[in-house]
Amino acid sequence: MCMEVRIRCECGAKEAEFNLRDNIMPPEVIVSLYCPECSSQISFDPETMLNDNGWVIEYDIEMARFMAVAKLGLPPEKITPAFLFDEGYATWKELYPGEHEDIKNEKEAIVAILKEDPHRYFKELREWAQARVERLKAEGWRRAQDL
């Protein structure tokens, strides 16, 4: 079971949804979120922060280490921003913030084909999905790299 958390970036312009895998980490493990606009104004600390394509997540690493030791039996030195993000303990709900809305907009034209030509619809949908994953990988989205 995953807890979902919505966090607004520090400048207040954008919001992102996070999953907290198996409820191991509390929502407070995410200290701050910086969108690509407000992240340019901060001093990046790789010990507590992760940059995903301009979005910066700041974690409370001490809290994360405490929770990981207590609940997972992991050594504290293993707990890094990359571990929290990549293993799903405090990561995007989607592949990147705003993905759900982007998918909705991108698929509208393809969905219209369904009534006219179901075979073409499935072909277009498959091609769109494959091209989309390749595009997200090329753009550097961290979660897309493992697809």
Side-chain angles (χ1 to χ4, degrees), residues 2-3 10 25 50 58-60 66 71 77 80 94 106 115 118 130 133:
C2 293
M3 180 187 303
E10 288 298 310
M25 300 294 158
L50 180 126
E58 182 178 7
Y59 295 103
D60 182 335
F66 175 80
K71 292 186 174 185
E77 61 274 6
T80 64
E94 305 162 303
E106 291 174 16
K115 291 180 184 175
Q130 290 170 344
V133 167

Side-chain angles (χ1 to χ4, degrees), residues 57-119:
I57 307 163
E58 182 178 7
Y59 295 103
D60 182 335
I61 290 296
E62 292 307 313
M63 178 188 295
R65 287 180 175 153
F66 175 80
M67 299 306 285
V69 169
K71 292 186 174 185
L72 299 171
L74 295 174
E77 61 274 6
K78 183 173 181 165
I79 310 310
T80 64
F83 175 85
L84 293 171
F85 188 88
D86 295 339
E87 297 301 319
Y89 291 105
T91 193
W92 308 130
K93 178 182 175 187
E94 305 162 303
L95 290 179
Y96 63 89
E99 178 188 29
H100 181 72
E101 191 63 31
D102 290 349
I103 286 174
K104 180 181 166 190
N105 295 335
E106 291 174 16
K107 280 179 63 175
E108 277 183 15
I110 298 170
V111 171
I113 298 170
L114 179 59
K115 291 180 184 175
E116 299 169 18
D117 186 348
H119 281 346

Side-chain angles (χ1 to χ4, degrees), residues 35-46:
C35 71
E37 287 77 30
C38 59
S39 68
S40 64
Q41 309 300 314
I42 65 168
S43 177
F44 184 81
D45 178 3

Side-chain angles (χ1 to χ4, degrees), residues 1-4 20-26 67 71:
M1 184 163 138
C2 293
M3 180 187 303
E4 292 181 18
L20 302 174
R21 177 179 159 194
D22 300 329
N23 297 327
I24 301 293
M25 300 294 158
M67 299 306 285
K71 292 186 174 185

